[in-house]
Amino acid sequence: MPTPAIELKNITKAFGSKVVANKNVCLTVNYGEILAILGENGSGKTTLLNMISGIYYPDSGEILVNGTPVSIKSPKDAFEYKIGMIHQHFKLVDVFTATENIILGLKDTDGYDIKKAAQRIKEISEQYGFDIDPNKKIYEMSVSEKQTVEIIKVLYRGADILMLDEPTAVLTPQETRKLFAILKRMKEDGKAVVIITHKLHEVLEISDKVAVLRKGEYIGTVITDETSESELTEMMVGQKVVLNIDRTDPVNPEPRLIVAHLNCMNIEGLKVLDNVTFTANSGEILGIAGIAGSGQRELLETIAGLQPMVTGGVQYIVPETGEIEFLRDKTPMQIRELGIRLSFVPEDRLGMGLVATMGTTDNMLLRSYKKGRGLFLSKKEPKELAEKIIEELQVVTPNINTPVRRLSGGNVQKVLVGREIAAAPKVLMAAYPVRGLDINSSYTIYNLLNRQKEQGVAVIFVGEDLDVLLGLCDRILVIGSGTVTGIVDARTASKEEIGLLMTKEVRRNEQ
């Protein structure tokens, strides 16, 4: 008989009078099980875990740990009940070592014994199969290593209940498999594991049970071995959804963007793009794969005129005339004035893509404010565009004037993607356009990108999910440490082949 670790009874949490994140949620998490939580964007998954981990406090309802009602008012309280949360965005001090981050904030009346702590970290690593150097600085680590530090941090504090929010979002397939092996060892050790992920194939692979939320309400829990992707999607959305990427063959592809021997430095003077060369064709989706921080963002920013090129260049072939326009040294506005629509969905959607305090209409207006005359701007067209995007992409928002910072991450992303695609570009560069989106919304975006491709747009798609890259794109460019490690045919390549290219070391003289 399973032993309940956490029981939620009628948990409700609202933000303001109109946004109900969770409503009467009843849920049980057992020891020795891995429970996956699924739901569309804004369905309250992260909010629910934040209440269990002490970041939010429920408005009503009851949380039981080991059968006893508890009041969890802070992460410190959660740790006292042996609950640990690994957030999607890591909370680490870059200049500290792994050991220093892990023991940071712990009370130690005898003073911090780094050697003793490092030994304990080594024991935890050997027990579960982690590969970590306790003395390595955080800024020297890969994303996978940083995540390892976060997981060991909660284990070091004695957590028996672990909750992970989108843990595979920025991992390679090889790193994901390694993480899953570790989670299975934790399960065998009797720990309760809760995982949020939008990747249904991962849910089916790693979990024992799946709990589904829809619009903040608990729909039900199913045994993983007795369900399917289509059934889970139907539970999430409330209706049958076709999960197919309808990839068509490119029609009359012609070079639209030619990137040649591109080199770029960051503000610290470090080379982030090294001799990058490729061609993006019209009527084609070119995927870009790589471990997070490999130069994908800098590449798109450089093409869009947001970062200076050190050497090399970018040529744009004007579709109507066939003339070549050189983009180097042009400002983003000059590039747009040439009639080149480099629509850019940045990785940092609120930092670069949208103004958090503005509503949807005003964020649409940012695209066309230069067309205004005098002191007055027309809001008619941006308002119509905002309403269209909210309807087509099913953006959950009280109204079109609600500040976007008050929307869930997935709904913010929908606003941004919708605005960029509505710009009718000739080249569409989309960086992580489905990051944080639920499966139904993701497929809506994939279909929009396919529609752009069929209209002759050259689409450059930076993605994290290799299954999607292989199913959506025509070709995939793999980038590692700012260098192109390979360009493959998406119809014939495998995930393992791309994963190896993502981690491949390229010597400078190979270029």
Side-chain angles (χ1 to χ4, degrees):
M1 187 72 181
T3 305
I6 294 176
E7 296 169 84
L8 306 180
K9 295 186 177 180
N10 299 311
I11 293 293
T12 296
K13 180 66 179 176
F15 297 97
S17 59
K18 293 186 178 180
V19 181
V20 179
N22 294 121
K23 182 179 178 182
N24 298 325
V25 175
C26 298
L27 188 63
T28 300
V29 181
N30 296 316
Y31 286 112
E33 284 184 352
I34 298 176
L35 174 75
I37 298 182
L38 275 180
E40 290 190 278
N41 297 115
S43 62
K45 304 180 298 297
T46 301
T47 300
L48 197 64
L49 295 198
N50 281 339
M51 282 189 280
I52 299 172
S53 62
I55 293 173
Y56 295 146
Y57 193 77
D59 298 331
S60 61
E62 194 173 39
I63 299 176
L64 286 76
V65 177
N66 300 326
T68 303
V70 298
S71 177
I72 305 174
K73 296 181 178 179
S74 69
K76 183 183 175 185
D77 288 348
F79 276 124
E80 288 181 4
Y81 295 113
K82 298 192 173 183
I83 299 169
M85 173 107 172
I86 294 90
H87 297 273
Q88 189 174 354
H89 302 290
F90 307 138
K91 301 176 187 303
L92 301 169
V93 181
D94 277 358
V95 295
F96 283 9
T97 64
T99 301
E100 290 165 343
N101 270 280
I102 288 165
I103 65 175
L104 187 64
L106 287 175
K107 286 185 179 178
D108 194 333
T109 53
D110 301 322
Y112 290 111
D113 189 334
I114 296 293
K115 284 188 178 179
K116 187 178 176 182
Q119 180 58 36
R120 175 68 184 129
I121 291 166
K122 188 178 178 184
E123 290 169 4
I124 293 172
S125 299
E126 288 173 354
Q127 181 179 357
Y128 295 108
F130 293 110
D131 182 16
I132 193 74
D133 177 0
N135 300 313
K136 194 172 183 180
K137 302 274 190 183
I138 299 299
Y139 67 80
E140 298 174 324
M141 293 184 178
S142 67
V143 174
S144 176
E145 288 174 308
K146 290 176 184 176
Q147 185 181 74
T148 298
V149 174
E150 288 281 23
I151 296 173
I152 294 177
K153 191 200 296 185
V154 300
L155 292 172
Y156 191 94
R157 284 159 169 75
D160 287 330
I161 303 163
L162 289 92
M163 303 183 296
L164 300 93
D165 191 358
E166 297 282 355
T168 65
V170 288
L171 301 183
T172 66
Q174 290 87 343
E175 290 168 340
T176 297
R177 278 198 294 271
K178 193 172 179 181
L179 173 65
F180 283 0
I182 288 167
L183 295 181
K184 286 174 182 174
R185 286 193 195 101
M186 290 180 183
K187 165 189 155 184
E188 290 163 5
D189 195 35
K191 296 193 183 295
V193 179
V194 182
I195 181 172
I196 292 176
T197 175
H198 286 302
K199 301 173 184 177
L200 289 179
H201 64 280
E202 291 183 356
V203 170
L204 295 173
E205 178 184 345
I206 187 64
S207 68
D208 298 295
K209 292 180 179 176
V210 188
V212 180
L213 299 180
R214 187 195 309 152
K215 295 180 180 177
E217 296 188 35
Y218 173 66
I219 301 302
T221 299
V222 294
I223 296 171
T224 307
D225 289 341
E226 298 174 0
T227 189
S228 63
E229 285 195 16
S230 57
E231 182 185 348
L232 290 173
T233 305
E234 189 174 341
M235 286 179 72
M236 282 195 303
V237 180
Q239 60 188 33
K240 286 191 178 294
V241 178
V242 179
L243 299 178
N244 287 320
I245 299 176
D246 187 18
R247 176 172 55 192
T248 56
D249 291 328
V251 178
N252 301 323
E254 295 178 353
R256 185 66 62 234
L257 204 65
I258 300 172
V259 178
H261 308 295
L262 193 63
N263 290 277
C264 179
M265 301 279 192
N266 64 14
I267 55 175
E268 285 86 21
L270 300 173
K271 184 175 277 191
V272 289
L273 295 177
D274 187 10
N275 201 32
V276 172
T277 298
F278 67 92
T279 299
N281 298 319
S282 62
E284 174 191 75
I285 299 180
L286 173 68
I288 297 182
I291 297 169
S294 294
Q296 305 95 310
R297 174 176 172 168
E298 289 83 359
L299 176 58
L300 298 198
E301 287 180 4
T302 302
I303 295 171
L306 300 173
Q307 292 234 25
M309 306 175 200
V310 177
T311 57
V314 180
Q315 299 177 25
Y316 171 74
I317 314 299
V318 181
E320 292 82 7
T321 64
E323 292 180 10
I324 296 174
E325 293 285 356
F326 296 91
L327 305 191
R328 185 174 180 178
D329 299 327
K330 285 185 170 61
T331 65
M333 191 56 67
Q334 287 172 329
I335 291 173
R336 290 189 64 204
E337 285 172 354
L338 286 169
I340 305 164
R341 305 297 306 210
L342 295 178
S343 293
F344 184 49
V345 181
E347 185 177 353
D348 180 7
R349 54 199 172 205
L350 278 180
M352 290 180 61
L354 299 170
V355 178
T357 55
M358 287 183 175
T360 307
T361 298
D362 288 339
N363 270 288
M364 298 301 121
L365 190 64
L366 290 176
R367 263 291 182 197
S368 55
Y369 77 98
K370 283 273 184 181
K371 296 177 183 176
R373 294 290 181 269
L375 297 174
F376 301 101
L377 296 170
S378 170
K379 283 195 174 185
K380 184 183 176 185
E381 287 184 11
K383 182 174 181 288
E384 290 173 352
L385 178 57
E387 290 170 343
K388 181 182 176 185
I389 288 171
I390 287 170
E391 182 182 352
E392 283 192 8
L393 300 186
Q394 299 175 341
V395 177
V396 179
T397 177
N399 58 66
I400 60 175
N401 297 316
T402 299
V404 294
R405 64 178 168 78
R406 287 171 53 187
L407 308 185
S408 72
N411 285 303
V412 170
Q413 191 77 332
K414 290 180 188 179
V415 171
L416 181 56
V417 173
R419 186 190 71 184
E420 297 305 310
I421 289 177
K426 298 298 182 187
V427 176
L428 172 63
M429 298 193 296
Y432 311 109
V434 299
R435 172 178 279 173
L437 290 187
D438 59 73
I439 191 73
N440 193 33
S441 301
S442 296
Y443 276 82
T444 301
I445 299 298
Y446 303 148
N447 291 331
L448 284 173
L449 295 178
N450 259 325
R451 212 180 302 161
Q452 295 295 304
K453 164 188 167 180
E454 290 165 4
Q455 292 170 4
V457 176
V459 180
I460 300 176
F461 172 79
V462 180
E464 295 162 325
D465 190 328
L466 294 189
D467 288 301
V468 170
L469 281 163
L470 289 167
L472 175 68
C473 303
D474 299 291
R475 292 181 299 138
I476 299 172
L477 178 148
V478 187
I479 190 168
S481 301
T483 302
V484 175
T485 56
I487 299 177
V488 300
D489 185 335
R491 288 172 173 78
T492 58
S494 67
K495 282 201 296 184
E496 287 68 28
E497 180 184 354
I498 295 172
L500 288 171
L501 286 170
M502 286 166 70
T503 54
K504 179 181 176 183
E505 291 288 334
V506 179
R507 298 185 184 89
R508 301 304 179 209
N509 58 16
E510 284 185 24
Q511 296 294 312

